[in-house]
PDB file of all heavy atoms in Angstrom:
ATOM      1  N   TRP A   1      -0.651   6.919 -19.282  1.00 98.00           N
ATOM      2  CA  TRP A   1      -1.884   6.313 -19.595  1.00 98.00           C
ATOM      3  C   TRP A   1      -2.428   5.650 -18.214  1.00 98.00           C
ATOM      4  O   TRP A   1      -1.593   5.193 -17.404  1.00 98.00           O
ATOM      5  CB  TRP A   1      -1.810   5.207 -20.579  1.00 98.00           C
ATOM      6  CG  TRP A   1      -1.581   5.740 -21.993  1.00 98.00           C
ATOM      7  CD1 TRP A   1      -2.489   5.845 -23.015  1.00 98.00           C
ATOM      8  CD2 TRP A   1      -0.362   6.171 -22.539  1.00 98.00           C
ATOM      9  NE1 TRP A   1      -1.939   6.321 -24.148  1.00 98.00           N
ATOM     10  CE2 TRP A   1      -0.618   6.596 -23.926  1.00 98.00           C
ATOM     11  CE3 TRP A   1       0.905   6.282 -22.020  1.00 98.00           C
ATOM     12  CZ2 TRP A   1       0.386   7.072 -24.695  1.00 98.00           C
ATOM     13  CZ3 TRP A   1       1.897   6.846 -22.837  1.00 98.00           C
ATOM     14  CH2 TRP A   1       1.630   7.210 -24.220  1.00 98.00           C
ATOM     15  N   THR A   2      -3.724   5.614 -18.022  1.00 98.00           N
ATOM     16  CA  THR A   2      -4.195   4.855 -16.880  1.00 98.00           C
ATOM     17  C   THR A   2      -5.433   4.023 -17.326  1.00 98.00           C
ATOM     18  O   THR A   2      -6.032   4.239 -18.368  1.00 98.00           O
ATOM     19  CB  THR A   2      -4.676   5.830 -15.731  1.00 98.00           C
ATOM     20  OG1 THR A   2      -5.982   6.403 -16.058  1.00 98.00           O
ATOM     21  CG2 THR A   2      -3.703   6.878 -15.445  1.00 98.00           C
ATOM     22  N   VAL A   3      -5.708   3.025 -16.477  1.00 98.00           N
ATOM     23  CA  VAL A   3      -6.893   2.189 -16.675  1.00 98.00           C
ATOM     24  C   VAL A   3      -7.514   1.938 -15.299  1.00 98.00           C
ATOM     25  O   VAL A   3      -6.781   1.684 -14.331  1.00 98.00           O
ATOM     26  CB  VAL A   3      -6.548   0.870 -17.428  1.00 98.00           C
ATOM     27  CG1 VAL A   3      -5.483   0.067 -16.592  1.00 98.00           C
ATOM     28  CG2 VAL A   3      -7.752   0.005 -17.672  1.00 98.00           C
ATOM     29  N   VAL A   4      -8.804   2.029 -15.270  1.00 97.00           N
ATOM     30  CA  VAL A   4      -9.489   1.778 -13.969  1.00 97.00           C
ATOM     31  C   VAL A   4     -10.219   0.446 -14.022  1.00 97.00           C
ATOM     32  O   VAL A   4     -10.833   0.053 -14.974  1.00 97.00           O
ATOM     33  CB  VAL A   4     -10.583   2.879 -13.793  1.00 97.00           C
ATOM     34  CG1 VAL A   4     -11.402   2.618 -12.542  1.00 97.00           C
ATOM     35  CG2 VAL A   4      -9.929   4.253 -13.733  1.00 97.00           C
ATOM     36  N   GLY A   5      -9.962  -0.343 -12.936  1.00 95.00           N
ATOM     37  CA  GLY A   5     -10.592  -1.639 -12.819  1.00 95.00           C
ATOM     38  C   GLY A   5     -11.302  -1.696 -11.474  1.00 95.00           C
ATOM     39  O   GLY A   5     -11.568  -0.765 -10.793  1.00 95.00           O
ATOM     40  N   ALA A   6     -11.659  -2.942 -11.166  1.00 89.00           N
ATOM     41  CA  ALA A   6     -12.364  -3.197  -9.922  1.00 89.00           C
ATOM     42  C   ALA A   6     -11.945  -4.459  -9.285  1.00 89.00           C
ATOM     43  O   ALA A   6     -11.706  -5.491  -9.987  1.00 89.00           O
ATOM     44  CB  ALA A   6     -13.879  -3.128 -10.105  1.00 89.00           C
ATOM     45  N   ILE A   7     -11.841  -4.489  -7.976  1.00 81.00           N
ATOM     46  CA  ILE A   7     -11.544  -5.688  -7.252  1.00 81.00           C
ATOM     47  C   ILE A   7     -12.856  -6.242  -6.647  1.00 81.00           C
ATOM     48  O   ILE A   7     -13.554  -5.547  -5.936  1.00 81.00           O
ATOM     49  CB  ILE A   7     -10.599  -5.459  -6.104  1.00 81.00           C
ATOM     50  CG1 ILE A   7      -9.311  -4.721  -6.621  1.00 81.00           C
ATOM     51  CG2 ILE A   7     -10.222  -6.753  -5.362  1.00 81.00           C
ATOM     52  CD1 ILE A   7      -8.364  -4.227  -5.492  1.00 81.00           C
ATOM     53  N   ARG A   8     -13.229  -7.436  -6.990  1.00 73.00           N
ATOM     54  CA  ARG A   8     -14.408  -8.066  -6.361  1.00 73.00           C
ATOM     55  C   ARG A   8     -14.072  -8.491  -4.935  1.00 73.00           C
ATOM     56  O   ARG A   8     -13.184  -9.265  -4.709  1.00 73.00           O
ATOM     57  CB  ARG A   8     -14.861  -9.259  -7.201  1.00 73.00           C
ATOM     58  CG  ARG A   8     -15.353  -8.958  -8.588  1.00 73.00           C
ATOM     59  CD  ARG A   8     -16.005 -10.148  -9.239  1.00 73.00           C
ATOM     60  NE  ARG A   8     -16.456  -9.936 -10.607  1.00 73.00           N
ATOM     61  CZ  ARG A   8     -15.711 -10.344 -11.676  1.00 73.00           C
ATOM     62  NH1 ARG A   8     -14.586 -11.027 -11.439  1.00 73.00           N
ATOM     63  NH2 ARG A   8     -16.088 -10.093 -12.884  1.00 73.00           N
ATOM     64  N   MET A   9     -14.882  -7.923  -4.014  1.00 64.00           N
ATOM     65  CA  MET A   9     -14.718  -8.250  -2.588  1.00 64.00           C
ATOM     66  C   MET A   9     -16.080  -8.788  -2.041  1.00 64.00           C
ATOM     67  O   MET A   9     -17.077  -8.601  -2.722  1.00 64.00           O
ATOM     68  CB  MET A   9     -14.275  -6.975  -1.846  1.00 64.00           C
ATOM     69  CG  MET A   9     -12.945  -6.436  -2.383  1.00 64.00           C
ATOM     70  SD  MET A   9     -12.441  -4.866  -1.556  1.00 64.00           S
ATOM     71  CE  MET A   9     -11.824  -5.572  -0.019  1.00 64.00           C
ATOM     72  N   PRO A  10     -15.983  -9.393  -0.911  1.00 59.00           N
ATOM     73  CA  PRO A  10     -17.235 -10.043  -0.411  1.00 59.00           C
ATOM     74  C   PRO A  10     -18.446  -9.097  -0.287  1.00 59.00           C
ATOM     75  O   PRO A  10     -19.601  -9.432  -0.546  1.00 59.00           O
ATOM     76  CB  PRO A  10     -16.809 -10.599   0.981  1.00 59.00           C
ATOM     77  CG  PRO A  10     -15.375 -10.848   0.907  1.00 59.00           C
ATOM     78  CD  PRO A  10     -14.845  -9.766  -0.038  1.00 59.00           C
ATOM     79  N   LEU A  11     -18.213  -7.846   0.171  1.00 58.00           N
ATOM     80  CA  LEU A  11     -19.241  -6.943   0.428  1.00 58.00           C
ATOM     81  C   LEU A  11     -19.419  -5.867  -0.621  1.00 58.00           C
ATOM     82  O   LEU A  11     -20.452  -5.189  -0.678  1.00 58.00           O
ATOM     83  CB  LEU A  11     -19.136  -6.290   1.796  1.00 58.00           C
ATOM     84  CG  LEU A  11     -19.138  -7.202   3.048  1.00 58.00           C
ATOM     85  CD1 LEU A  11     -18.847  -6.392   4.281  1.00 58.00           C
ATOM     86  CD2 LEU A  11     -20.458  -7.937   3.043  1.00 58.00           C
ATOM     87  N   LEU A  12     -18.423  -5.629  -1.496  1.00 62.00           N
ATOM     88  CA  LEU A  12     -18.474  -4.550  -2.463  1.00 62.00           C
ATOM     89  C   LEU A  12     -17.395  -4.815  -3.563  1.00 62.00           C
ATOM     90  O   LEU A  12     -16.531  -5.523  -3.390  1.00 62.00           O
ATOM     91  CB  LEU A  12     -18.388  -3.251  -1.900  1.00 62.00           C
ATOM     92  CG  LEU A  12     -16.994  -2.709  -1.459  1.00 62.00           C
ATOM     93  CD1 LEU A  12     -17.032  -1.194  -1.259  1.00 62.00           C
ATOM     94  CD2 LEU A  12     -16.463  -3.416  -0.234  1.00 62.00           C
ATOM     95  N   SER A  13     -17.583  -3.992  -4.631  1.00 71.00           N
ATOM     96  CA  SER A  13     -16.555  -3.986  -5.638  1.00 71.00           C
ATOM     97  C   SER A  13     -15.801  -2.715  -5.440  1.00 71.00           C
ATOM     98  O   SER A  13     -16.342  -1.563  -5.412  1.00 71.00           O
ATOM     99  CB  SER A  13     -17.215  -3.973  -7.047  1.00 71.00           C
ATOM    100  OG  SER A  13     -16.247  -3.877  -8.040  1.00 71.00           O
ATOM    101  N   PHE A  14     -14.418  -2.859  -5.302  1.00 75.00           N
ATOM    102  CA  PHE A  14     -13.599  -1.733  -4.916  1.00 75.00           C
ATOM    103  C   PHE A  14     -12.797  -1.210  -6.092  1.00 75.00           C
ATOM    104  O   PHE A  14     -12.050  -1.969  -6.680  1.00 75.00           O
ATOM    105  CB  PHE A  14     -12.620  -2.165  -3.800  1.00 75.00           C
ATOM    106  CG  PHE A  14     -11.884  -1.002  -3.134  1.00 75.00           C
ATOM    107  CD1 PHE A  14     -12.611  -0.004  -2.421  1.00 75.00           C
ATOM    108  CD2 PHE A  14     -10.533  -0.906  -3.263  1.00 75.00           C
ATOM    109  CE1 PHE A  14     -11.883   1.046  -1.836  1.00 75.00           C
ATOM    110  CE2 PHE A  14      -9.873   0.131  -2.618  1.00 75.00           C
ATOM    111  CZ  PHE A  14     -10.536   1.090  -1.969  1.00 75.00           C
ATOM    112  N   PRO A  15     -12.911   0.018  -6.513  1.00 87.00           N
ATOM    113  CA  PRO A  15     -12.214   0.511  -7.693  1.00 87.00           C
ATOM    114  C   PRO A  15     -10.693   0.667  -7.477  1.00 87.00           C
ATOM    115  O   PRO A  15     -10.199   0.937  -6.296  1.00 87.00           O
ATOM    116  CB  PRO A  15     -12.887   1.900  -7.954  1.00 87.00           C
ATOM    117  CG  PRO A  15     -13.371   2.352  -6.552  1.00 87.00           C
ATOM    118  CD  PRO A  15     -13.748   1.076  -5.964  1.00 87.00           C
ATOM    119  N   ARG A  16      -9.907   0.432  -8.508  1.00 93.00           N
ATOM    120  CA  ARG A  16      -8.533   0.638  -8.464  1.00 93.00           C
ATOM    121  C   ARG A  16      -7.975   1.110  -9.761  1.00 93.00           C
ATOM    122  O   ARG A  16      -8.669   0.927 -10.821  1.00 93.00           O
ATOM    123  CB  ARG A  16      -7.839  -0.721  -8.106  1.00 93.00           C
ATOM    124  CG  ARG A  16      -8.085  -1.835  -9.034  1.00 93.00           C
ATOM    125  CD  ARG A  16      -7.348  -3.065  -8.715  1.00 93.00           C
ATOM    126  NE  ARG A  16      -7.655  -4.186  -9.559  1.00 93.00           N
ATOM    127  CZ  ARG A  16      -6.837  -5.259  -9.783  1.00 93.00           C
ATOM    128  NH1 ARG A  16      -5.710  -5.292  -9.192  1.00 93.00           N
ATOM    129  NH2 ARG A  16      -7.218  -6.247 -10.588  1.00 93.00           N
ATOM    130  N   ARG A  17      -6.783   1.674  -9.862  1.00 96.00           N
ATOM    131  CA  ARG A  17      -6.279   2.269 -11.068  1.00 96.00           C
ATOM    132  C   ARG A  17      -4.822   1.854 -11.273  1.00 96.00           C
ATOM    133  O   ARG A  17      -4.011   1.786 -10.288  1.00 96.00           O
ATOM    134  CB  ARG A  17      -6.298   3.789 -10.983  1.00 96.00           C
ATOM    135  CG  ARG A  17      -5.725   4.519 -12.163  1.00 96.00           C
ATOM    136  CD  ARG A  17      -5.628   6.029 -11.942  1.00 96.00           C
ATOM    137  NE  ARG A  17      -6.994   6.595 -11.584  1.00 96.00           N
ATOM    138  CZ  ARG A  17      -7.863   6.988 -12.447  1.00 96.00           C
ATOM    139  NH1 ARG A  17      -7.582   6.923 -13.751  1.00 96.00           N
ATOM    140  NH2 ARG A  17      -9.053   7.494 -12.059  1.00 96.00           N
ATOM    141  N   MET A  18      -4.517   1.491 -12.509  1.00 98.00           N
ATOM    142  CA  MET A  18      -3.138   1.241 -12.894  1.00 98.00           C
ATOM    143  C   MET A  18      -2.616   2.356 -13.742  1.00 98.00           C
ATOM    144  O   MET A  18      -3.409   2.923 -14.537  1.00 98.00           O
ATOM    145  CB  MET A  18      -3.044  -0.084 -13.746  1.00 98.00           C
ATOM    146  CG  MET A  18      -1.614  -0.375 -14.198  1.00 98.00           C
ATOM    147  SD  MET A  18      -1.495  -1.939 -15.062  1.00 98.00           S
ATOM    148  CE  MET A  18      -2.151  -1.536 -16.731  1.00 98.00           C
ATOM    149  N   THR A  19      -1.389   2.775 -13.527  1.00 98.00           N
ATOM    150  CA  THR A  19      -0.860   3.921 -14.299  1.00 98.00           C
ATOM    151  C   THR A  19       0.343   3.382 -15.064  1.00 98.00           C
ATOM    152  O   THR A  19       1.210   2.640 -14.506  1.00 98.00           O
ATOM    153  CB  THR A  19      -0.376   5.046 -13.336  1.00 98.00           C
ATOM    154  OG1 THR A  19      -1.555   5.549 -12.637  1.00 98.00           O
ATOM    155  CG2 THR A  19       0.186   6.192 -14.183  1.00 98.00           C
ATOM    156  N   VAL A  20       0.433   3.765 -16.281  1.00 98.00           N
ATOM    157  CA  VAL A  20       1.551   3.377 -17.239  1.00 98.00           C
ATOM    158  C   VAL A  20       2.269   4.666 -17.661  1.00 98.00           C
ATOM    159  O   VAL A  20       1.623   5.594 -18.136  1.00 98.00           O
ATOM    160  CB  VAL A  20       0.962   2.616 -18.432  1.00 98.00           C
ATOM    161  CG1 VAL A  20       2.152   2.226 -19.388  1.00 98.00           C
ATOM    162  CG2 VAL A  20       0.184   1.416 -17.998  1.00 98.00           C
ATOM    163  N   VAL A  21       3.565   4.664 -17.433  1.00 98.00           N
ATOM    164  CA  VAL A  21       4.439   5.755 -17.855  1.00 98.00           C
ATOM    165  C   VAL A  21       5.429   5.290 -18.943  1.00 98.00           C
ATOM    166  O   VAL A  21       6.122   4.292 -18.793  1.00 98.00           O
ATOM    167  CB  VAL A  21       5.204   6.334 -16.682  1.00 98.00           C
ATOM    168  CG1 VAL A  21       6.065   7.451 -17.152  1.00 98.00           C
ATOM    169  CG2 VAL A  21       4.237   6.808 -15.570  1.00 98.00           C
ATOM    170  N   GLN A  22       5.370   6.014 -19.996  1.00 98.00           N
ATOM    171  CA  GLN A  22       6.266   5.718 -21.208  1.00 98.00           C
ATOM    172  C   GLN A  22       7.570   6.466 -20.995  1.00 98.00           C
ATOM    173  O   GLN A  22       7.566   7.717 -21.048  1.00 98.00           O
ATOM    174  CB  GLN A  22       5.636   6.030 -22.483  1.00 98.00           C
ATOM    175  CG  GLN A  22       6.343   5.629 -23.695  1.00 98.00           C
ATOM    176  CD  GLN A  22       5.623   6.086 -24.964  1.00 98.00           C
ATOM    177  OE1 GLN A  22       5.506   7.346 -25.169  1.00 98.00           O
ATOM    178  NE2 GLN A  22       5.181   5.189 -25.828  1.00 98.00           N
ATOM    179  N   LEU A  23       8.661   5.787 -20.861  1.00 98.00           N
ATOM    180  CA  LEU A  23       9.967   6.423 -20.781  1.00 98.00           C
ATOM    181  C   LEU A  23      10.412   6.903 -22.193  1.00 98.00           C
ATOM    182  O   LEU A  23       9.809   6.541 -23.190  1.00 98.00           O
ATOM    183  CB  LEU A  23      11.009   5.450 -20.205  1.00 98.00           C
ATOM    184  CG  LEU A  23      10.618   4.936 -18.786  1.00 98.00           C
ATOM    185  CD1 LEU A  23      11.662   3.895 -18.292  1.00 98.00           C
ATOM    186  CD2 LEU A  23      10.636   6.102 -17.774  1.00 98.00           C
ATOM    187  N   ARG A  24      11.487   7.572 -22.217  1.00 91.00           N
ATOM    188  CA  ARG A  24      11.904   8.219 -23.471  1.00 91.00           C
ATOM    189  C   ARG A  24      12.287   7.324 -24.562  1.00 91.00           C
ATOM    190  O   ARG A  24      12.243   7.664 -25.736  1.00 91.00           O
ATOM    191  CB  ARG A  24      13.020   9.296 -23.216  1.00 91.00           C
ATOM    192  CG  ARG A  24      14.291   8.727 -22.636  1.00 91.00           C
ATOM    193  CD  ARG A  24      15.229   9.820 -22.415  1.00 91.00           C
ATOM    194  NE  ARG A  24      16.461   9.369 -21.779  1.00 91.00           N
ATOM    195  CZ  ARG A  24      17.513  10.115 -21.464  1.00 91.00           C
ATOM    196  NH1 ARG A  24      17.492  11.376 -21.714  1.00 91.00           N
ATOM    197  NH2 ARG A  24      18.581   9.607 -20.898  1.00 91.00           N
ATOM    198  N   ASP A  25      12.642   6.040 -24.251  1.00 93.00           N
ATOM    199  CA  ASP A  25      13.072   5.046 -25.203  1.00 93.00           C
ATOM    200  C   ASP A  25      11.939   4.003 -25.396  1.00 93.00           C
ATOM    201  O   ASP A  25      12.209   2.864 -25.781  1.00 93.00           O
ATOM    202  CB  ASP A  25      14.384   4.417 -24.935  1.00 93.00           C
ATOM    203  CG  ASP A  25      14.409   3.863 -23.470  1.00 93.00           C
ATOM    204  OD1 ASP A  25      13.368   3.936 -22.793  1.00 93.00           O
ATOM    205  OD2 ASP A  25      15.435   3.295 -23.142  1.00 93.00           O
ATOM    206  N   ARG A  26      10.704   4.353 -24.957  1.00 94.00           N
ATOM    207  CA  ARG A  26       9.548   3.510 -25.173  1.00 94.00           C
ATOM    208  C   ARG A  26       9.572   2.308 -24.250  1.00 94.00           C
ATOM    209  O   ARG A  26       8.739   1.382 -24.460  1.00 94.00           O
ATOM    210  CB  ARG A  26       9.332   3.071 -26.608  1.00 94.00           C
ATOM    211  CG  ARG A  26       9.004   4.249 -27.535  1.00 94.00           C
ATOM    212  CD  ARG A  26       8.791   3.783 -29.030  1.00 94.00           C
ATOM    213  NE  ARG A  26       7.746   2.713 -29.056  1.00 94.00           N
ATOM    214  CZ  ARG A  26       6.480   2.981 -29.117  1.00 94.00           C
ATOM    215  NH1 ARG A  26       6.034   4.213 -28.992  1.00 94.00           N
ATOM    216  NH2 ARG A  26       5.579   1.990 -29.233  1.00 94.00           N
ATOM    217  N   ARG A  27      10.375   2.328 -23.200  1.00 98.00           N
ATOM    218  CA  ARG A  27      10.222   1.337 -22.182  1.00 98.00           C
ATOM    219  C   ARG A  27       9.051   1.844 -21.284  1.00 98.00           C
ATOM    220  O   ARG A  27       8.797   3.057 -21.248  1.00 98.00           O
ATOM    221  CB  ARG A  27      11.492   1.191 -21.330  1.00 98.00           C
ATOM    222  CG  ARG A  27      12.681   0.600 -22.070  1.00 98.00           C
ATOM    223  CD  ARG A  27      13.959   0.661 -21.262  1.00 98.00           C
ATOM    224  NE  ARG A  27      14.241   2.094 -20.995  1.00 98.00           N
ATOM    225  CZ  ARG A  27      14.643   2.601 -19.777  1.00 98.00           C
ATOM    226  NH1 ARG A  27      14.758   1.752 -18.779  1.00 98.00           N
ATOM    227  NH2 ARG A  27      14.953   3.846 -19.687  1.00 98.00           N
ATOM    228  N   LEU A  28       8.399   0.908 -20.573  1.00 98.00           N
ATOM    229  CA  LEU A  28       7.210   1.259 -19.788  1.00 98.00           C
ATOM    230  C   LEU A  28       7.468   1.009 -18.350  1.00 98.00           C
ATOM    231  O   LEU A  28       8.006   0.002 -17.951  1.00 98.00           O
ATOM    232  CB  LEU A  28       5.967   0.457 -20.294  1.00 98.00           C
ATOM    233  CG  LEU A  28       5.603   0.624 -21.788  1.00 98.00           C
ATOM    234  CD1 LEU A  28       4.364  -0.220 -22.002  1.00 98.00           C
ATOM    235  CD2 LEU A  28       5.270   2.087 -22.097  1.00 98.00           C
ATOM    236  N   VAL A  29       6.984   1.915 -17.487  1.00 98.00           N
ATOM    237  CA  VAL A  29       6.852   1.705 -16.083  1.00 98.00           C
ATOM    238  C   VAL A  29       5.411   1.405 -15.714  1.00 98.00           C
ATOM    239  O   VAL A  29       4.471   2.173 -16.043  1.00 98.00           O
ATOM    240  CB  VAL A  29       7.327   2.939 -15.317  1.00 98.00           C
ATOM    241  CG1 VAL A  29       7.155   2.715 -13.769  1.00 98.00           C
ATOM    242  CG2 VAL A  29       8.727   3.310 -15.657  1.00 98.00           C
ATOM    243  N   ILE A  30       5.126   0.323 -15.164  1.00 98.00           N
ATOM    244  CA  ILE A  30       3.817  -0.191 -14.744  1.00 98.00           C
ATOM    245  C   ILE A  30       3.646   0.094 -13.238  1.00 98.00           C
ATOM    246  O   ILE A  30       4.402  -0.528 -12.414  1.00 98.00           O
ATOM    247  CB  ILE A  30       3.605  -1.669 -15.066  1.00 98.00           C
ATOM    248  CG1 ILE A  30       3.984  -1.989 -16.483  1.00 98.00           C
ATOM    249  CG2 ILE A  30       2.092  -1.986 -14.780  1.00 98.00           C
ATOM    250  CD1 ILE A  30       3.196  -1.240 -17.545  1.00 98.00           C
ATOM    251  N   TYR A  31       2.773   1.013 -12.871  1.00 98.00           N
ATOM    252  CA  TYR A  31       2.553   1.316 -11.474  1.00 98.00           C
ATOM    253  C   TYR A  31       1.217   0.806 -10.966  1.00 98.00           C
ATOM    254  O   TYR A  31       0.202   1.094 -11.556  1.00 98.00           O
ATOM    255  CB  TYR A  31       2.615   2.865 -11.300  1.00 98.00           C
ATOM    256  CG  TYR A  31       2.444   3.449  -9.933  1.00 98.00           C
ATOM    257  CD1 TYR A  31       3.546   3.788  -9.140  1.00 98.00           C
ATOM    258  CD2 TYR A  31       1.242   3.689  -9.383  1.00 98.00           C
ATOM    259  CE1 TYR A  31       3.398   4.305  -7.890  1.00 98.00           C
ATOM    260  CE2 TYR A  31       1.076   4.193  -8.080  1.00 98.00           C
ATOM    261  CZ  TYR A  31       2.168   4.530  -7.388  1.00 98.00           C
ATOM    262  OH  TYR A  31       2.040   5.059  -6.113  1.00 98.00           O
ATOM    263  N   SER A  32       1.303  -0.097  -9.926  1.00 97.00           N
ATOM    264  CA  SER A  32       0.076  -0.707  -9.378  1.00 97.00           C
ATOM    265  C   SER A  32      -0.642  -1.533 -10.427  1.00 97.00           C
ATOM    266  O   SER A  32      -1.734  -1.188 -10.916  1.00 97.00           O
ATOM    267  CB  SER A  32      -0.873   0.375  -8.856  1.00 97.00           C
ATOM    268  OG  SER A  32      -1.834  -0.294  -7.996  1.00 97.00           O
ATOM    269  N   ALA A  33      -0.016  -2.621 -10.773  1.00 97.00           N
ATOM    270  CA  ALA A  33      -0.435  -3.481 -11.961  1.00 97.00           C
ATOM    271  C   ALA A  33      -1.819  -4.111 -11.828  1.00 97.00           C
ATOM    272  O   ALA A  33      -2.278  -4.428 -10.762  1.00 97.00           O
ATOM    273  CB  ALA A  33       0.571  -4.556 -12.173  1.00 97.00           C
ATOM    274  N   ILE A  34      -2.499  -4.108 -12.963  1.00 97.00           N
ATOM    275  CA  ILE A  34      -3.748  -4.804 -13.090  1.00 97.00           C
ATOM    276  C   ILE A  34      -3.641  -5.702 -14.369  1.00 97.00           C
ATOM    277  O   ILE A  34      -3.078  -5.369 -15.384  1.00 97.00           O
ATOM    278  CB  ILE A  34      -4.935  -3.797 -13.398  1.00 97.00           C
ATOM    279  CG1 ILE A  34      -5.115  -2.876 -12.124  1.00 97.00           C
ATOM    280  CG2 ILE A  34      -6.191  -4.511 -13.725  1.00 97.00           C
ATOM    281  CD1 ILE A  34      -6.218  -1.814 -12.358  1.00 97.00           C
ATOM    282  N   ALA A  35      -4.131  -6.936 -14.180  1.00 97.00           N
ATOM    283  CA  ALA A  35      -4.155  -7.832 -15.260  1.00 97.00           C
ATOM    284  C   ALA A  35      -5.244  -7.439 -16.316  1.00 97.00           C
ATOM    285  O   ALA A  35      -6.355  -7.308 -15.970  1.00 97.00           O
ATOM    286  CB  ALA A  35      -4.435  -9.280 -14.839  1.00 97.00           C
ATOM    287  N   LEU A  36      -4.810  -7.164 -17.532  1.00 98.00           N
ATOM    288  CA  LEU A  36      -5.693  -6.631 -18.537  1.00 98.00           C
ATOM    289  C   LEU A  36      -6.109  -7.748 -19.527  1.00 98.00           C
ATOM    290  O   LEU A  36      -5.450  -8.735 -19.698  1.00 98.00           O
ATOM    291  CB  LEU A  36      -5.041  -5.496 -19.364  1.00 98.00           C
ATOM    292  CG  LEU A  36      -4.541  -4.306 -18.539  1.00 98.00           C
ATOM    293  CD1 LEU A  36      -3.808  -3.283 -19.491  1.00 98.00           C
ATOM    294  CD2 LEU A  36      -5.637  -3.691 -17.750  1.00 98.00           C
ATOM    295  N   ASP A  37      -7.259  -7.555 -20.208  1.00 98.00           N
ATOM    296  CA  ASP A  37      -7.727  -8.469 -21.230  1.00 98.00           C
ATOM    297  C   ASP A  37      -6.845  -8.324 -22.417  1.00 98.00           C
ATOM    298  O   ASP A  37      -5.959  -7.430 -22.543  1.00 98.00           O
ATOM    299  CB  ASP A  37      -9.227  -8.268 -21.535  1.00 98.00           C
ATOM    300  CG  ASP A  37      -9.524  -6.907 -22.029  1.00 98.00           C
ATOM    301  OD1 ASP A  37      -8.677  -6.197 -22.640  1.00 98.00           O
ATOM    302  OD2 ASP A  37     -10.694  -6.472 -21.931  1.00 98.00           O
ATOM    303  N   ASP A  38      -7.058  -9.190 -23.376  1.00 98.00           N
ATOM    304  CA  ASP A  38      -6.191  -9.287 -24.571  1.00 98.00           C
ATOM    305  C   ASP A  38      -6.214  -8.012 -25.390  1.00 98.00           C
ATOM    306  O   ASP A  38      -5.143  -7.501 -25.813  1.00 98.00           O
ATOM    307  CB  ASP A  38      -6.577 -10.412 -25.450  1.00 98.00           C
ATOM    308  CG  ASP A  38      -6.274 -11.803 -24.890  1.00 98.00           C
ATOM    309  OD1 ASP A  38      -5.490 -11.848 -23.861  1.00 98.00           O
ATOM    310  OD2 ASP A  38      -6.831 -12.787 -25.301  1.00 98.00           O
TER     311      ASP A  38
END
């Protein structure tokens, strides 16, 4: 699964992506973390 967010910077908003990989026993690997809403 992935989610696309944005980093607010002085001159522009820069897009970024977090990727979530579900391992075979439902543990998760979070790659390039983004703080998500509730």
